[in-house]
Each structure stands twice: as C-alpha cells, then as structure tokens.
Amino acid sequence: SNVKDVVTQILAQGFDDPGDVHTAAKGIARINRLAESHETALIVIDECQHMVHPKTDARDRQVTDFLKSLVISGRFSLMLVGQAEQ
C-alpha cells in the first residue's frame, strides 16, 4: 500500500470521489472534511496486515506516518484490525 491508496480507499468508503489527491496533507484535509460532515468518531481499517510488511521499507513508513497524522489531526480515532502474518 501507499498513501494515495489509503486515501482513495477511505474517501471511497465515505462515498466521496477520491479525485486526484497529490499530497498527504491534501488527503488528510479531505478525509477530515468527510469525517466532519458525517460526524465520524471512528474509522476502522481492516486487513491492515497488508499495509505494513515485516520488512518495513520507506513506503510502509509513509503509510504508517500518514495514519499517525490522521490521528493527530484530532477529528476521529482509528482502529486497525488484521492478522499477524506468518
């Protein structure tokens, strides 16, 4: 996964056209507006084991940093659900 994929999926689940999000900051702003308009308190991300792999590379760190930034923005909480890959 990459940041654009995560933004696209979250916006699509909120029935918002993902359009063309070029930066993480724009993605956070769009997701925050969507969450506020729907009075969202919690976003659940399932299958999160596919987002970060055991051999973490720079792209994975960008995704986890992006998720951290979403939580820091203070609009809602995130719940990550998945299985430990073996």
Side-chain angles (χ1 to χ4, degrees), residues 17-84:
D17 178 18
D20 199 14
V21 177
H22 294 290
T23 66
K26 286 184 181 180
I28 290 170
R30 293 267 312 275
I31 291 168
N32 282 335
R33 280 195 303 274
L34 179 66
E36 188 173 334
S37 71
H38 290 285
E39 298 180 4
T40 303
L42 175 69
I43 293 179
V44 178
I45 299 178
D46 195 9
E47 300 291 328
C48 69
Q49 74 271 14
H50 299 297
M51 295 172 65
V52 180
H53 304 285
K55 293 184 177 179
T56 303
D57 62 15
R59 186 180 63 182
D60 292 333
R61 282 192 297 277
Q62 288 175 345
V63 170
T64 56
D65 287 347
F66 175 75
L67 294 174
K68 179 181 172 183
S69 295
L70 279 176
V71 173
I72 290 171
S73 73
R75 300 268 189 225
F76 51 82
S77 297
L78 287 178
M79 177 186 292
L80 304 178
V81 181
Q83 300 177 358

Side-chain angles (χ1 to χ4, degrees), residues 1-11 51 63 66-67:
S1 291
N2 61 42
V3 171
K4 186 172 182 174
D5 292 340
V6 173
V7 170
T8 299
Q9 288 298 315
I10 292 172
L11 291 174
M51 295 172 65
V63 170
F66 175 75
L67 294 174

